[in-house]
Amino acid sequence: MCGIVGYVGKRNSQNILIDGLKKLEYRGYDSAGVAVYTKDGLQIKKSKGRLANLESKLDEAPLEGNIGIGHTRWATHGKPSDVNSHPHTDNSSKFSVVHNGIIENYMQLKEELTAKGHVFVSETDTEVISHLIASLYEGDIVKAVQKAVTRMRGAFALGVLTEYEPEKLVAVRLSSPLIIGVGEGENFIGSDIPAILEYTRNVYILNDGEMALLTKDDVTLMTLEGNFISRELFHVDWDIVTAEKAGFDHFMLKEIYEQPKAYRDTMGARIDAAASKVVLPEIGMTPEQIRSIRQVHIVACGTAYHAGLVGKSVIEHLARIPVETDVASEYRYRSPIITPETLVIVVSQSGETADTLAALREAKRCGARVVAITNVVGSSVAREADDVIVTWAGPEIAVASTKAYTSQLIGFYLFGLYLAQTLGTAEATYIEEVLRGLQELPEKVERILEQSEAIKEVAEQISTHHSLFFIGRGLDYAVALEGSLKLKEISYIHSEAYAAGELKHGTLALIEEGIPVIALATQDALFEKTVSNIKEVKARGAQVFGIHMEGDTELAKAVDEVFAIPQTHPLLAPALTVVPLQLLSYYASLALGHDVDKPRNLAKSVTVE
């Protein structure tokens, strides 16, 4: 999973490529590189590590030219190194390729090419592509790329240059995201819109199995078979400022503070307050189709999976339909029972998560209807699902997801209420109560954010520990899983989340004197049992930080410190409870001196399996 960018036009391509890579560095930052056609032919500069390392090389020896491709890498094949960095070339250095994705049959292709005299210098699957294209080239770079693609299995987005046709840039998409930016006398490619937004707002979003030939004056879209495609330009109307830090020290903190706006935007016109109902015109199911649903499968990865665990409880509680929640990377391989009466909900911030996309396709193959919850209009998941609930969180740059996760929760609340309205499984007065609570959430998140200093103090305390635990029951357990993940991914502190009632079945053995435990106790129906579990860990020496709702006076008697979230409907508590946990993770990482926005070994959008 990587970021690619390309430019052809009248300007110095090096500067545009670097600007684009800075916008894409969230997709991977193990290494970076550029290839530019110069007066001396195709020249490449690349470097292990952050983009700044590449910039230093280019400052010393700039590349002057009007066409080029660039890449920022998250390693899949071959360790991070200068040699394994993209772009890759063939032995003649006349062909250069940048690649996002995986070539599954690269070893077979490598053996064939080696037998023909090709010499490989890297450990990557991508280098095979440049050699393969070179071996098939007969004077037409487009045809050579098309022939090469027929030999390759896997997922890929490609940017291709050849010294033999220096005015042309070829782009290919198959199961990895790629967009084309259209300017005046210049054109662009990028893995994501922010890469080119500074230069143009007019884009083509390539679909799977499509490619493009770019020159400075023209963009030609076609299928991989060479059939020409006519398509309207998509105009991007969101502001580039949304991709900047706006005065915050880190993108993650900015995005935590943007959550009230993301809540309001995602609810938007979807709540008819006068009629006390949810309006989802984007859901094309008829009432009869909704009534035919016998089971729901929620499929997602990582943080989105944790949103799905909340979604499971919400839908079962409101719509009274049985729900299974699956990790997308496991879903297809357990032979799930999918029928036309199964509704599959896939959740993906980027809409390009490879495992989630594969699960979507398997569900559709089996005849299920698919609803997508995603933050990216025009993404693969959005285009391939039958119905789409877009979460209007705006661009999320930090690798650790915050506002995208909570916006996904809002999506589940809206959809659960929509199902309940249609099926008549909840009283109108109850739906009205939950809707009122939903609309109050943004202001309540703002109140939590005003108390961030209290969370910072606790975070600085736990940052001195090597291990800690989160516990909770019911919806609190689902949020505990997300809080634990957030802490692990940006502070690198070992953390585990447990269903509080399971402690005595083995994991209580891990509790020792002084170990921190974050205990969530916001669910009235489970409060007394949770307090009992808290007392179990306290009796064994744990230092307990509790999170509860305002008005409760009992939890403070059982823990060392407490933080109160504003009163809300218990079903909606996750949308508030997770906010102090996000802040806890942020401040713990900050106290340890880590790179909050770009944690080690991780990338924002996981576009490989």
Side-chain angles (χ1 to χ4, degrees):
M1 116 199 42
C2 311
I4 66 177
V5 64
Y7 173 78
V8 54
K10 301 174 182 177
R11 300 192 234 190
N12 182 357
S13 62
Q14 173 188 298
N15 298 336
I16 293 170
L17 297 175
I18 293 298
D19 285 346
L21 292 178
K22 287 177 180 177
K23 301 297 191 303
L24 294 176
E25 202 174 7
Y26 68 90
R27 298 181 65 88
Y29 36 85
D30 292 333
S31 58
V34 296
V36 174
Y37 182 76
T38 72
K39 62 182 178 58
D40 298 317
L42 201 55
Q43 301 290 310
I44 292 175
K45 290 284 177 69
K46 50 188 184 177
S47 179
K48 175 186 173 182
R50 295 292 173 86
L51 186 57
N53 296 344
L54 174 63
E55 287 187 275
S56 295
K57 284 187 176 183
L58 292 171
D59 286 343
E60 294 174 6
L63 298 179
E64 299 289 340
N66 307 120
I67 183 169
I69 50 178
H71 189 273
T72 181
R73 182 173 186 247
W74 182 79
T76 54
H77 290 70
K79 65 185 179 182
S81 69
D82 286 1
V83 171
N84 288 332
S85 305
H86 298 213
H88 286 283
T89 66
D90 69 310
N91 292 144
S92 71
S93 296
K94 302 295 187 185
F95 296 85
S96 184
V97 174
V98 289
H99 166 220
N100 173 30
I102 285 178
I103 307 304
E104 294 173 355
N105 62 332
Y106 84 101
M107 282 302 299
Q108 175 191 335
L109 294 170
K110 188 173 184 178
E111 289 169 3
E112 291 178 11
L113 290 161
T114 300
K116 294 178 180 178
H118 291 258
V119 178
F120 291 82
V121 298
S122 78
E123 304 168 279
T124 69
D125 54 340
T126 303
E127 189 184 358
V128 169
I129 305 171
S130 55
H131 286 264
L132 182 60
I133 292 171
S135 72
L136 296 169
Y137 185 72
E138 296 177 341
D140 187 326
I141 186 59
V142 172
K143 289 182 179 178
V145 171
Q146 288 170 338
K147 289 177 184 176
V149 167
T150 64
R151 300 288 317 282
M152 293 154 46
R153 292 199 313 272
F156 44 86
L158 307 177
V160 182
L161 293 180
T162 178
E163 190 171 307
Y164 296 117
E165 300 177 66
E167 76 286 357
K168 295 178 181 178
L169 168 58
V170 178
V172 180
R173 174 187 175 151
L174 186 67
S175 301
S176 289
L178 196 65
I179 59 100
I180 310 295
V182 179
E184 294 184 7
E186 57 185 2
N187 293 299
F188 312 78
I189 67 171
S191 292
D192 204 353
I193 289 172
I196 53 91
L197 195 56
E198 183 177 342
Y199 303 101
T200 181
R201 292 181 173 275
N202 295 317
V203 303
Y204 291 119
I205 300 173
L206 290 186
N207 295 320
D208 275 354
E210 294 181 352
M211 63 185 298
L213 171 63
L214 288 74
T215 65
K216 66 182 179 64
D217 296 315
D218 194 28
V219 173
T220 304
L221 305 181
M222 65 192 86
T223 65
L224 297 181
E225 295 74 31
N227 299 317
F228 294 109
I229 298 167
S230 177
R231 178 171 300 148
E232 289 187 9
L233 282 168
F234 174 72
H235 183 75
V236 181
D237 56 10
W238 44 271
D239 194 334
I240 195 170
V241 174
T242 60
E244 302 300 333
K245 291 179 185 176
F248 287 91
D249 290 337
H250 298 91
F251 281 113
M252 183 179 178
L253 188 61
K254 172 179 177 283
E255 288 155 9
I256 290 172
Y257 275 77
E258 286 175 339
Q259 287 176 121
K261 181 179 186 301
Y263 284 26
R264 292 185 180 102
D265 290 348
T266 299
M267 285 185 269
R270 291 166 169 160
I271 295 178
D272 183 341
S276 297
K277 68 176 184 179
V278 173
V279 181
L280 291 178
E282 55 265 64
I283 300 298
M285 284 182 283
T286 65
E288 291 73 23
Q289 288 173 316
I290 291 175
R291 283 191 283 270
S292 73
I293 299 169
R294 294 293 172 264
Q295 61 177 343
V296 175
H297 293 176
I298 298 174
V299 186
C301 299
T303 285
Y305 170 74
H306 295 155
L309 292 174
V310 175
K312 168 184 166 67
S313 293
V314 168
I315 292 172
E316 287 187 338
H317 179 78
L318 291 170
R320 309 308 298 158
I321 302 172
V323 181
E324 297 178 18
T325 305
D326 268 272
V327 175
S329 58
E330 296 289 332
Y331 184 67
R332 287 181 297 153
Y333 305 109
R334 69 171 181 84
S335 299
I337 300 171
I338 305 171
T339 74
E341 295 176 323
T342 304
L343 177 67
V344 175
I345 303 174
V346 296
V347 192
S348 169
Q349 184 278 139
S350 67
E352 302 292 349
T353 310
D355 291 309
T356 305
L357 195 53
L360 180 158
R361 289 165 179 163
E362 176 66 10
K364 294 196 75 172
R365 187 187 68 81
C366 294
R369 191 178 186 98
V370 178
V371 173
I373 298 178
T374 182
N375 194 42
V376 181
V377 176
S379 63
S380 295
V381 160
R383 293 197 308 276
E384 296 188 31
D386 297 292
D387 309 282
V388 184
I389 298 174
V390 175
T391 56
W392 299 108
E396 189 177 66
I397 305 303
V399 167
S401 180
T402 53
K403 64 177 182 173
Y405 165 79
T406 47
S407 296
Q408 288 163 0
L409 298 187
I410 301 300
F412 273 117
Y413 290 133
L414 292 170
F415 189 58
L417 288 164
Y418 182 79
L419 292 176
Q421 287 171 188
T422 305
L423 297 171
T425 49
E427 296 290 339
T429 53
Y430 185 79
I431 291 175
E432 182 178 357
E433 178 187 350
V434 176
L435 278 175
R436 187 165 56 250
L438 260 181
Q439 292 172 294
E440 292 170 351
L441 287 176
E443 181 270 333
K444 291 178 178 179
V445 173
E446 289 166 351
R447 285 168 54 192
I448 292 171
L449 295 172
E450 290 169 359
Q451 304 173 69
S452 62
E453 282 299 315
I455 299 295
K456 184 178 181 181
E457 291 178 12
V458 175
E460 289 172 348
Q461 292 172 32
I462 69 170
S463 70
T464 64
H465 293 264
H466 298 295
S467 185
L468 75 152
F469 300 98
F470 289 74
I471 61 173
R473 282 176 174 258
L475 284 169
D476 282 335
Y477 173 51
V479 178
L481 286 165
E482 173 60 13
S484 178
L485 173 62
K486 215 47 68 217
L487 187 71
K488 279 183 281 200
E489 67 182 326
I490 65 168
S491 76
Y492 318 145
I493 299 171
H494 171 255
S495 169
E496 299 295 338
Y498 293 110
E502 287 295 292
L503 288 171
K504 61 179 71 69
H505 296 288
T507 50
L508 199 58
L510 296 171
I511 302 299
E512 57 188 12
E513 189 70 32
I515 196 166
V517 173
I518 314 298
L520 280 59
T522 70
Q523 300 297 299
D524 291 342
L526 295 164
F527 183 82
E528 290 182 356
K529 293 187 180 297
T530 302
V531 170
S532 176
N533 300 138
I534 290 170
K535 289 179 178 179
E536 291 170 354
V537 299
K538 277 292 294 176
R540 287 152 180 86
Q543 290 288 114
V544 183
F545 173 62
I547 297 180
H548 64 156
M549 285 199 198
E550 290 174 347
D552 163 58
T553 59
E554 295 302 309
L555 187 66
K557 300 174 185 177
V559 303
D560 297 285
E561 293 184 66
V562 292
F563 183 89
I565 63 168
Q567 272 286 343
T568 189
H569 191 288
L571 196 65
L572 304 176
L576 298 180
T577 311
V578 74
V579 178
L581 301 186
Q582 294 168 344
L583 290 167
L584 190 78
S585 302
Y586 172 79
Y587 286 120
S589 179
L590 202 63
L592 291 166
H594 298 317
D595 189 334
V596 174
D597 289 333
K598 297 172 183 174
R600 68 189 182 200
N601 303 332
L602 301 177
K604 182 65 177 174
S605 180
V606 183
T607 55
V608 296
E609 291 188 65

